[in-house]
Amino acid sequence: MIWLIGCKGMLGTEIARQLKENNIDFAGTDIDVDITSPDALDKFAASLKNLRYIINCSAYTAVDKAESDADFARRLNEEGPRNIAAVAKKYGAKMIHISTDYVFDGTGNTPRTEDMPVAPIGVYGVTKADGEKAVAATTDEYYILRTAWLYGWAGKNFVYTMIRAMNTHDSVKVVNDQKGTPTFAGDLASVIIKIIGKNNVPYGIYHCTDLGEITWWDFTNEIKRQGVEKGWVKNKDCAVNPCSTDEYPTPAKRPAYSVLCKDKIQKALGISLPDWKVSLGVFLESPLFDKSRIE
């Protein structure tokens, strides 16, 4: 039995879909089981038979809002994962926990490996880094998967937002001095399914995004190109203009360079992760693409 926490979020929805597709028994919970309550977690875990894995997709992800809502962000991103790890240990389950590129400060220009020291620069990143530490200090049987620039069929995300903006504006302005890699939720979910199926992957921290190194401006241009091809972008004349981070101030500072090295996860699973452009095409071509989110 798999327990999927945060089953109604963008990633959780996709993991649930793939678990069903692979005929893997699972129980899904969302806000109905409070991760900040050890008693609530323990009560639900006790109701499950043969609990093998707990997948934690729950998190406080509002990066800018976290700057003024630090206590709640910490409850969800540090206290919650610690509680989940304790329950996993008590019931003999392995834990899969989702983390982020925001645990790094964004300096340098080489892909981050798992053994590089973390140095978060905002409340969101700090609480996620502390959540990683809490998991590692509570149970030995864990997988922490750091990902970045996540988008998927369920929920709001950058791809839907940009297509809608291009269809309703003559131009869009996008930062071109932050580098990273988009990650299709379907690809990350597939990696999680493979970890469960393989069942002998060494515990620890892994980086998992799609392949490539681009800016948000690059990403938007490719969204436009493929979106026009697929018929989602109706306004072909919309200009995609670059701007600097300084021109687009936000409450939380973003890492300027947060490309993650994926060698470790690819070697551990014997896989090759897809190029980000290929996965964007899969996302746009699927019947699961939610048209209501671009209207």
Side-chain angles (χ1 to χ4, degrees):
M1 172 63 71
I2 311 298
W3 179 7
L4 174 60
I5 297 176
C7 68
K8 293 182 180 179
M10 182 170 62
L11 178 59
T13 299
E14 178 59 20
I15 294 172
R17 189 187 71 81
Q18 291 196 27
L19 287 168
K20 291 175 187 174
E21 198 174 64
N22 286 275
N23 296 313
I24 299 172
D25 289 335
F26 76 97
T29 61
D30 205 77
I31 58 173
D32 48 314
V33 176
D34 183 2
I35 65 169
T36 67
S37 168
D39 289 343
L41 290 168
D42 187 82
K43 183 179 179 181
F44 190 83
S47 72
L48 303 175
K49 294 182 179 179
N50 191 28
L51 181 59
R52 296 170 50 228
Y53 283 88
I54 301 178
I55 305 171
N56 179 33
C57 294
S58 64
Y60 187 108
T61 58
V63 176
D64 289 321
K65 190 178 178 183
E67 294 298 308
S68 58
D69 196 17
D71 288 344
F72 190 40
R74 183 163 295 284
R75 287 182 65 204
L76 293 185
N77 291 346
E78 180 186 358
E79 183 182 327
R82 181 185 289 111
N83 295 338
I84 295 167
V87 167
K89 184 174 183 179
K90 177 178 177 178
Y91 289 90
K94 301 173 182 179
M95 181 174 176
I96 299 175
H97 176 65
I98 309 303
S99 193
T100 173
D101 58 324
Y102 276 66
V103 299
F104 296 109
D105 62 6
T107 59
N109 57 7
T110 56
R112 286 4 186 198
T113 57
E114 290 83 352
D115 57 356
M116 288 182 173
V118 300
I121 54 177
V123 170
Y124 169 69
V126 168
T127 58
K128 289 297 287 184
D130 288 344
E132 291 184 1
K133 294 173 187 173
V135 169
T138 306
T139 180
D140 296 326
E141 297 183 324
Y142 68 87
Y143 301 98
I144 291 172
L145 302 182
R146 293 176 181 150
T147 192
W149 297 22
L150 193 65
Y151 66 95
W153 291 306
K156 297 178 181 179
N157 63 67
F158 186 78
V159 183
Y160 285 142
T161 298
M162 285 298 101
I163 292 175
R164 186 170 63 251
M166 285 186 275
N167 283 335
T168 54
H169 296 77
D170 293 331
S171 66
V172 293
K173 188 179 287 187
V174 189
V175 294
N176 71 336
D177 56 0
Q178 295 174 21
K179 281 191 174 181
T181 313
T183 308
F184 172 43
D187 296 332
L188 180 55
S190 178
V191 164
I192 291 169
I193 300 298
K194 285 181 172 67
I195 290 173
I196 291 170
K198 203 172 178 70
N199 209 37
N200 62 352
V201 179
Y203 299 120
I205 297 174
Y206 291 89
H207 290 169
C208 186
T209 70
D210 289 329
L211 300 182
E213 180 176 320
I214 62 166
T215 68
W216 289 104
W217 183 72
D218 297 324
F219 192 20
T220 306
N221 276 293
E222 187 64 16
I223 292 168
K224 179 184 176 183
R225 188 188 72 78
Q226 292 197 33
V228 168
E229 280 185 0
K230 307 298 187 296
W232 298 127
V233 176
K234 311 294 185 183
N235 183 15
K236 301 177 182 179
D237 296 324
C238 179
V240 180
N241 298 321
C243 70
S244 68
T245 298
D246 290 343
E247 294 176 74
Y248 192 75
T250 55
K253 189 177 179 181
R254 266 63 173 172
Y257 185 92
S258 61
V259 179
L260 303 177
C261 176
K262 278 75 69 175
D263 292 350
K264 184 180 177 183
I265 191 71
Q266 292 183 112
K267 184 178 179 181
L269 295 179
I271 61 170
S272 294
L273 290 164
D275 180 83
W276 70 271
K277 287 184 182 180
V278 173
S279 291
L280 177 61
V282 171
F283 171 79
L284 294 171
E285 290 171 0
S286 172
L288 294 171
F289 184 89
D290 188 352
K291 292 184 290 185
S292 69
R293 295 192 177 276
I294 62 171
E295 295 170 348

PDB file of all heavy atoms in Angstrom, residues 281-293:
ATOM      1  N   GLY A 281       6.114  19.184 -25.438  1.00  0.00           N
ATOM      2  CA  GLY A 281       5.265  18.700 -26.520  1.00  0.00           C
ATOM      3  C   GLY A 281       4.264  17.659 -26.042  1.00  0.00           C
ATOM      4  O   GLY A 281       3.087  17.679 -26.427  1.00  0.00           O
ATOM      5  N   VAL A 282       4.722  16.751 -25.174  1.00  0.00           N
ATOM      6  CA  VAL A 282       3.827  15.731 -24.608  1.00  0.00           C
ATOM      7  C   VAL A 282       2.687  16.406 -23.828  1.00  0.00           C
ATOM      8  O   VAL A 282       1.517  16.034 -23.947  1.00  0.00           O
ATOM      9  CB  VAL A 282       4.608  14.769 -23.686  1.00  0.00           C
ATOM     10  CG1 VAL A 282       3.659  13.853 -22.922  1.00  0.00           C
ATOM     11  CG2 VAL A 282       5.611  13.947 -24.498  1.00  0.00           C
ATOM     12  N   PHE A 283       3.053  17.397 -23.048  1.00  0.00           N
ATOM     13  CA  PHE A 283       2.078  18.137 -22.245  1.00  0.00           C
ATOM     14  C   PHE A 283       1.027  18.802 -23.134  1.00  0.00           C
ATOM     15  O   PHE A 283      -0.179  18.697 -22.882  1.00  0.00           O
ATOM     16  CB  PHE A 283       2.808  19.192 -21.413  1.00  0.00           C
ATOM     17  CG  PHE A 283       1.914  20.161 -20.698  1.00  0.00           C
ATOM     18  CD1 PHE A 283       1.274  19.805 -19.524  1.00  0.00           C
ATOM     19  CD2 PHE A 283       1.701  21.437 -21.207  1.00  0.00           C
ATOM     20  CE1 PHE A 283       0.447  20.700 -18.858  1.00  0.00           C
ATOM     21  CE2 PHE A 283       0.871  22.341 -20.545  1.00  0.00           C
ATOM     22  CZ  PHE A 283       0.247  21.967 -19.374  1.00  0.00           C
ATOM     23  N   LEU A 284       1.473  19.480 -24.189  1.00  0.00           N
ATOM     24  CA  LEU A 284       0.572  20.243 -25.044  1.00  0.00           C
ATOM     25  C   LEU A 284      -0.301  19.362 -25.932  1.00  0.00           C
ATOM     26  O   LEU A 284      -1.416  19.741 -26.291  1.00  0.00           O
ATOM     27  CB  LEU A 284       1.376  21.213 -25.917  1.00  0.00           C
ATOM     28  CG  LEU A 284       2.110  22.339 -25.196  1.00  0.00           C
ATOM     29  CD1 LEU A 284       3.026  23.085 -26.160  1.00  0.00           C
ATOM     30  CD2 LEU A 284       1.131  23.310 -24.544  1.00  0.00           C
ATOM     31  N   GLU A 285       0.202  18.172 -26.289  1.00  0.00           N
ATOM     32  CA  GLU A 285      -0.515  17.296 -27.222  1.00  0.00           C
ATOM     33  C   GLU A 285      -1.537  16.387 -26.541  1.00  0.00           C
ATOM     34  O   GLU A 285      -2.404  15.823 -27.201  1.00  0.00           O
ATOM     35  CB  GLU A 285       0.492  16.415 -27.979  1.00  0.00           C
ATOM     36  CG  GLU A 285       1.353  17.181 -28.968  1.00  0.00           C
ATOM     37  CD  GLU A 285       2.481  16.324 -29.526  1.00  0.00           C
ATOM     38  OE1 GLU A 285       2.585  15.145 -29.135  1.00  0.00           O
ATOM     39  OE2 GLU A 285       3.247  16.845 -30.342  1.00  0.00           O
ATOM     40  N   SER A 286      -1.444  16.243 -25.232  1.00  0.00           N
ATOM     41  CA  SER A 286      -2.264  15.258 -24.530  1.00  0.00           C
ATOM     42  C   SER A 286      -3.732  15.698 -24.418  1.00  0.00           C
ATOM     43  O   SER A 286      -4.030  16.882 -24.259  1.00  0.00           O
ATOM     44  CB  SER A 286      -1.708  15.033 -23.116  1.00  0.00           C
ATOM     45  OG  SER A 286      -2.595  14.232 -22.365  1.00  0.00           O
ATOM     46  N   PRO A 287      -4.640  14.737 -24.462  1.00  0.00           N
ATOM     47  CA  PRO A 287      -6.049  15.056 -24.204  1.00  0.00           C
ATOM     48  C   PRO A 287      -6.282  15.513 -22.757  1.00  0.00           C
ATOM     49  O   PRO A 287      -7.356  16.028 -22.434  1.00  0.00           O
ATOM     50  CB  PRO A 287      -6.775  13.725 -24.489  1.00  0.00           C
ATOM     51  CG  PRO A 287      -5.728  12.664 -24.425  1.00  0.00           C
ATOM     52  CD  PRO A 287      -4.456  13.317 -24.849  1.00  0.00           C
ATOM     53  N   LEU A 288      -5.284  15.312 -21.890  1.00  0.00           N
ATOM     54  CA  LEU A 288      -5.391  15.771 -20.502  1.00  0.00           C
ATOM     55  C   LEU A 288      -5.121  17.266 -20.365  1.00  0.00           C
ATOM     56  O   LEU A 288      -5.347  17.837 -19.296  1.00  0.00           O
ATOM     57  CB  LEU A 288      -4.414  14.992 -19.618  1.00  0.00           C
ATOM     58  CG  LEU A 288      -4.708  13.496 -19.459  1.00  0.00           C
ATOM     59  CD1 LEU A 288      -3.548  12.799 -18.751  1.00  0.00           C
ATOM     60  CD2 LEU A 288      -6.010  13.274 -18.721  1.00  0.00           C
ATOM     61  N   PHE A 289      -4.626  17.900 -21.445  1.00  0.00           N
ATOM     62  CA  PHE A 289      -4.397  19.347 -21.434  1.00  0.00           C
ATOM     63  C   PHE A 289      -5.716  20.045 -21.102  1.00  0.00           C
ATOM     64  O   PHE A 289      -6.742  19.798 -21.737  1.00  0.00           O
ATOM     65  CB  PHE A 289      -3.891  19.804 -22.800  1.00  0.00           C
ATOM     66  CG  PHE A 289      -3.536  21.256 -22.876  1.00  0.00           C
ATOM     67  CD1 PHE A 289      -2.263  21.711 -22.571  1.00  0.00           C
ATOM     68  CD2 PHE A 289      -4.483  22.196 -23.272  1.00  0.00           C
ATOM     69  CE1 PHE A 289      -1.939  23.058 -22.647  1.00  0.00           C
ATOM     70  CE2 PHE A 289      -4.172  23.542 -23.347  1.00  0.00           C
ATOM     71  CZ  PHE A 289      -2.891  23.979 -23.039  1.00  0.00           C
ATOM     72  N   ASP A 290      -5.696  20.920 -20.093  1.00  0.00           N
ATOM     73  CA  ASP A 290      -6.907  21.550 -19.580  1.00  0.00           C
ATOM     74  C   ASP A 290      -7.162  22.882 -20.297  1.00  0.00           C
ATOM     75  O   ASP A 290      -6.610  23.920 -19.919  1.00  0.00           O
ATOM     76  CB  ASP A 290      -6.767  21.768 -18.063  1.00  0.00           C
ATOM     77  CG  ASP A 290      -8.066  22.252 -17.433  1.00  0.00           C
ATOM     78  OD1 ASP A 290      -9.028  22.555 -18.172  1.00  0.00           O
ATOM     79  OD2 ASP A 290      -8.099  22.333 -16.187  1.00  0.00           O
ATOM     80  N   LYS A 291      -8.001  22.858 -21.308  1.00  0.00           N
ATOM     81  CA  LYS A 291      -8.282  24.053 -22.122  1.00  0.00           C
ATOM     82  C   LYS A 291      -8.874  25.178 -21.290  1.00  0.00           C
ATOM     83  O   LYS A 291      -8.675  26.361 -21.614  1.00  0.00           O
ATOM     84  CB  LYS A 291      -9.236  23.690 -23.261  1.00  0.00           C
ATOM     85  CG  LYS A 291      -8.635  22.771 -24.307  1.00  0.00           C
ATOM     86  CD  LYS A 291      -9.604  22.543 -25.451  1.00  0.00           C
ATOM     87  CE  LYS A 291     -10.789  21.703 -25.026  1.00  0.00           C
ATOM     88  NZ  LYS A 291     -11.688  21.377 -26.184  1.00  0.00           N
ATOM     89  N   SER A 292      -9.587  24.834 -20.227  1.00  0.00           N
ATOM     90  CA  SER A 292     -10.248  25.867 -19.419  1.00  0.00           C
ATOM     91  C   SER A 292      -9.235  26.797 -18.764  1.00  0.00           C
ATOM     92  O   SER A 292      -9.576  27.931 -18.393  1.00  0.00           O
ATOM     93  CB  SER A 292     -11.138  25.236 -18.356  1.00  0.00           C
ATOM     94  OG  SER A 292     -10.363  24.592 -17.358  1.00  0.00           O
ATOM     95  N   ARG A 293      -8.016  26.334 -18.619  1.00  0.00           N
ATOM     96  CA  ARG A 293      -7.002  27.135 -17.925  1.00  0.00           C
ATOM     97  C   ARG A 293      -6.303  28.145 -18.833  1.00  0.00           C
ATOM     98  O   ARG A 293      -5.491  28.940 -18.369  1.00  0.00           O
ATOM     99  CB  ARG A 293      -5.966  26.217 -17.262  1.00  0.00           C
ATOM    100  CG  ARG A 293      -6.577  25.375 -16.155  1.00  0.00           C
ATOM    101  CD  ARG A 293      -5.562  24.682 -15.305  1.00  0.00           C
ATOM    102  NE  ARG A 293      -6.200  23.941 -14.230  1.00  0.00           N
ATOM    103  CZ  ARG A 293      -6.580  24.440 -13.054  1.00  0.00           C
ATOM    104  NH1 ARG A 293      -6.382  25.728 -12.810  1.00  0.00           N
ATOM    105  NH2 ARG A 293      -7.163  23.691 -12.144  1.00  0.00           N
TER     106      ARG A 293
END
